[in-house]
Amino acid sequence: MKNKIFIFDTTLRDGEQAPGASLNVQEKVEIAKQLIRLNVDAIEAGFPVSSKAQFDAVQRIADLNESAIITGLARTVEGDIKAANDSLKNAKKFRIHTFAGTSDIHILGKFGNDRYGKTLIDKRKTILEMSCDAVAYAKTFTNDVEFSAEDAGRTDIGYLIEIIEAVIAAGATTVNIPDTTGYTMPHEYGEKIAALKDKVNNINDAIISVHCHNDLGLAVANSLTAINHGARQIECTINGIGERAGNASLEEIVMAMKVREDVWDFKTDIVTSEIFNTSRMVSAFTGMVVQPNKAIVGENAFSHESGIHQDGVLKNKKTYEIMDPDLVGVHESKIVLGRHSGRHGLIARLNEIGYHPDEEELKQIYEKFLELADKKKEVFDDDLRVLMGDEIYVKDYRHELDYLHVNIGTTTIPTATVRIKTEERLVEESATGDGPVDACFNAIDRALNEKFHIESYKVRSVTMGRSAQGEATVRLRDGSESFTGRGVSTDIVEASAKAYLQAINEHIIQADVTELLASVQTP
Ligand code: KIV
Ligand code: ZN
């Protein structure tokens, strides 16, 4: 019998912290449903206290009432833990995940104020007490409490042993040892886990968890090494997205254990045939492209270019393939839909690629599908994914593009006219610009009577062929906050206008929330 490794997915929390990867509440709920089909053991749904949108997303995911453990992050602060409990309490099973920085660099940097103690030794003592208090408080809400020693990778091993033993005594049922900065080497990290297993007296009362970042490209290697030394939970994300260089990638960890089951005494309960669908959904919703050579889920992961390789694979697949693509849900035949496919054909294909819209949603999707099929003769799986992400799940439109006309040519000044449906009325404006996109943005600014600061603007092709759909991403900046919008169309100018408007919508939604919170707090 192989030992089970618990897969704790943090795509919706640490993954969403990746620069530029923002998800709205509905997108998070759809990803959570897909993670459930993938059969992860735990879903870290967000950091509830950090914003109303985070709180709502965690609550909606908890409300799904599914079998995975739903988790919310909290600092070692009462308000955070209370918010986590409030958002999670309807879940069938939930966990409160509290954390504190434990390396000297974190302690001196984050807890510099004298109220945490004058010396490093005093501060360490305070943090240990705060951590134990937080765990004990979380325990008043649930039996399932995880403690993370942030930056454990660079934490003094003596102090790490002390704090881990103390939080277990206070009631932690999972102790997470994050390599927050992706600094450790696999042998060092393995030794750290082994030392905890050996020296923490009550270690068998908790599960050891690992959480590795990929700054040196070692997140997966570190996570796998750790399980050889006693860890039984791995925290990871789909496509390896996350802070900076990302987190350990779920698909690589799971498939390493599966493909090389001859050398691993461990197994996971992941439904591997759902890996590809999950990867593509996360990529479509976050706008984070999967690099073509990415292991397991990259476009090139199963393609053979050189003549010698192609010849070998034709004779015997195993010459150059260590796993069957079907195993991760990559199927050879590309089913193409078109105008005449009908609702049944559409729903069957959507289900196959991981989407399960309800009747009401399907009506809307079918209309959008027909519009797309009119523009493109062939509708591929990626077109459907993009359609689901950009047209269906972005519902909170305050301003919508109703009409767009652009005039360009080698000798004309680019001019754009836009008509925008706002909550109250239709506004139409025209403007010129350096190019058609700039003219479009200027026309939108005029129509809304505001000027927004564009921090970044990108366009890429998201589907295949000459009639490929273009996806535009616009990031706006307002002080310390940024707002991202995405738009997709076979016409990249239209995609850009939609992306710009979506970013503006996000900005307005955030401003409304801030105003609402201020009015609640003012007596
Ligand atoms: O990387 C890290 O240390 C984290 C913790 C909050 C678990 O994400
Ligand atoms: Zn992390």
Side-chain angles (χ1 to χ4, degrees):
M1 265 292 270
K2 290 190 183 277
N3 285 309
K4 172 170 161 132
I5 299 297
F6 284 80
I7 297 294
F8 175 115
D9 181 277
T10 181
T11 306
L12 298 177
R13 201 278 298 168
D14 221 338
E16 206 221 2
Q17 285 174 221
S22 76
L23 292 163
N24 64 31
V25 174
Q26 187 58 35
E27 288 167 336
K28 286 188 185 177
V29 173
E30 288 308 315
I31 291 176
K33 289 187 194 160
Q34 179 58 26
L35 291 171
I36 287 160
R37 287 190 281 275
L38 185 67
N39 207 27
V40 301
D41 298 289
I43 297 175
E44 184 157 57
F47 190 176
V49 83
S50 65
S51 72
K52 178 163 183 323
Q54 288 269 341
F55 185 97
D56 289 349
V58 177
Q59 192 170 49
R60 292 266 312 273
I61 293 168
D63 285 351
L64 293 175
N65 202 19
E66 291 281 356
S67 55
I69 299 168
I70 311 300
T71 310
L73 189 67
R75 289 166 299 183
T76 49
V77 173
E78 267 194 27
D80 285 34
I81 295 169
K82 170 122 186 21
N85 175 64
D86 289 347
S87 59
L88 289 164
K89 61 185 176 207
N90 289 341
K92 204 175 257 170
K93 290 184 273 173
F94 74 88
R95 174 181 302 175
I96 296 179
H97 176 190
T98 185
F99 73 101
T102 53
S103 66
D104 293 350
I105 299 178
H106 273 232
I107 293 176
L108 294 173
K110 291 174 159 183
F111 304 97
N113 194 304
D114 274 0
R115 75 190 156 99
Y116 296 106
K118 288 205 167 42
T119 65
L120 177 64
I121 303 292
D122 293 342
K123 288 181 194 294
R124 279 186 178 179
K125 199 164 159 274
T126 310
I127 284 146
L128 186 143
E129 281 163 9
M130 279 167 52
S131 303
C132 291
D133 289 349
V135 168
Y137 182 54
K139 282 292 261 201
T140 63
F141 299 113
T142 170
N143 206 26
D144 191 348
V145 175
E146 173 166 335
F147 173 77
S148 281
E150 194 189 13
D151 203 17
R154 293 186 299 173
T155 297
D156 168 73
I157 187 65
Y159 181 55
L160 192 59
I161 290 169
E162 201 185 328
I163 194 165
I164 293 299
E165 189 163 313
V167 292
I168 295 176
T173 42
T174 302
V175 283
N176 187 33
I177 314 301
D179 184 22
T180 306
T181 53
Y183 178 74
T184 60
M185 295 291 119
H187 69 277
E188 281 176 306
Y189 193 59
E191 282 161 16
K192 206 153 222 177
I193 304 297
L196 292 169
K197 189 84 189 146
D198 189 38
K199 304 256 165 53
V200 172
N201 288 314
N202 50 5
I203 196 70
N204 291 333
D205 295 342
I207 289 180
I208 302 181
S209 165
V210 289
H211 173 117
C212 299
H213 280 268
N214 207 28
D215 300 65
L216 294 173
L218 293 169
V220 170
N222 280 347
S223 307
L224 290 173
T225 306
I227 60 178
N228 270 338
H229 293 277
R232 289 293 174 269
Q233 172 177 284
I234 299 182
E235 303 195 352
C236 45
T237 61
I238 302 296
N239 300 335
I241 63 169
E243 280 279 1
R244 308 179 309 279
N247 288 58
S249 123
L250 180 147
E251 58 279 7
E252 293 176 22
I253 285 166
V254 168
M255 291 317 290
M257 271 188 265
K258 188 159 180 102
V259 171
R260 295 305 314 277
E261 55 192 0
D262 55 325
V263 296
W264 289 104
D265 259 344
F266 307 105
K267 63 157 190 109
T268 71
D269 284 343
I270 294 297
V271 176
T272 61
S273 56
E274 287 294 339
I275 285 180
F276 188 70
N277 283 342
T278 319
S279 161
R280 286 300 176 266
M281 184 187 282
V282 168
S283 172
F285 287 3
T286 56
M288 299 217 34
V289 188
V290 176
Q291 75 193 61
N293 59 325
K294 164 88 177 59
I296 319 292
V297 290
E299 209 174 300
N300 298 347
F302 298 102
S303 56
H304 306 275
E305 187 71 16
S306 87
I308 296 176
H309 286 215
Q310 284 178 352
D311 186 52
V313 169
L314 284 175
K315 288 180 178 137
N316 178 356
K317 274 190 162 195
K318 290 197 171 142
T319 46
Y320 290 103
E321 266 183 20
I322 59 165
M323 69 190 111
D324 189 340
D326 278 333
L327 205 57
V328 294
V330 175
H331 307 298
E332 241 163 55
S333 62
K334 287 215 165 23
I335 300 197
V336 180
L337 299 181
R339 205 173 196 319
H340 303 292
S341 297
R343 285 165 65 99
H344 279 108
L346 175 65
I347 187 73
R349 195 64 208 141
L350 284 174
N351 289 170
E352 281 273 301
I353 62 169
Y355 295 90
H356 301 263
D358 61 29
E359 262 310 303
E360 200 41 45
E361 285 168 340
L362 185 64
K363 251 195 237 157
Q364 223 186 322
I365 294 161
Y366 190 60
E367 261 172 48
K368 298 282 180 188
F369 165 75
L370 290 179
E371 269 172 40
L372 181 65
D374 269 345
K375 289 191 201 158
K376 290 185 91 216
K377 268 213 264 352
E378 296 179 313
V379 179
F380 297 99
D381 288 352
D382 278 344
D383 288 309
L384 295 181
R385 290 187 176 102
V386 164
L387 183 83
M388 297 303 289
D390 284 276
E391 300 290 357
I392 308 307
Y393 292 130
V394 184
K395 286 189 173 133
D396 209 351
Y397 281 129
R398 306 292 165 104
H399 300 327
E400 219 175 317
L401 185 67
D402 189 56
Y403 164 88
L404 165 70
H405 178 84
V406 277
N407 204 359
I408 49 166
T410 45
T411 54
T412 28
I413 296 173
T415 314
T417 303
V418 295
R419 190 166 60 228
I420 296 168
K421 203 152 84 190
T422 70
E423 273 165 318
E424 304 94 32
R425 63 200 172 101
L426 282 172
V427 258
E428 189 168 318
E429 274 297 345
S430 301
T432 56
D434 289 342
V437 172
D438 186 41
C440 230
F441 290 175
N442 290 339
I444 292 173
D445 285 349
R446 266 202 185 162
L448 302 180
N449 205 14
E450 281 213 57
K451 187 130 191 99
F452 300 93
H453 172 61
I454 297 179
E455 185 174 65
S456 87
Y457 163 65
K458 280 186 255 168
V459 190
R460 69 177 178 117
S461 150
V462 276
T463 54
M464 294 186 289
R466 282 171 79 126
S467 58
Q469 296 202 78
E471 179 192 69
T473 311
V474 173
R475 191 159 72 228
L476 303 180
R477 166 123 340 248
D478 186 1
S480 62
E481 295 194 277
S482 66
F483 306 90
T484 306
R486 272 180 290 129
V488 180
S489 169
T490 46
D491 171 350
I492 58 165
V493 181
E494 186 186 339
S496 307
K498 283 176 164 177
Y500 189 44
L501 273 173
Q502 196 192 316
I504 295 171
N505 285 331
E506 291 291 330
H507 190 308
I508 298 170
I509 293 164
Q510 183 58 41
D512 287 355
V513 170
T514 313
E515 203 178 308
L516 186 78
L517 288 178
S519 69
V520 171
Q521 277 151 15
T522 316

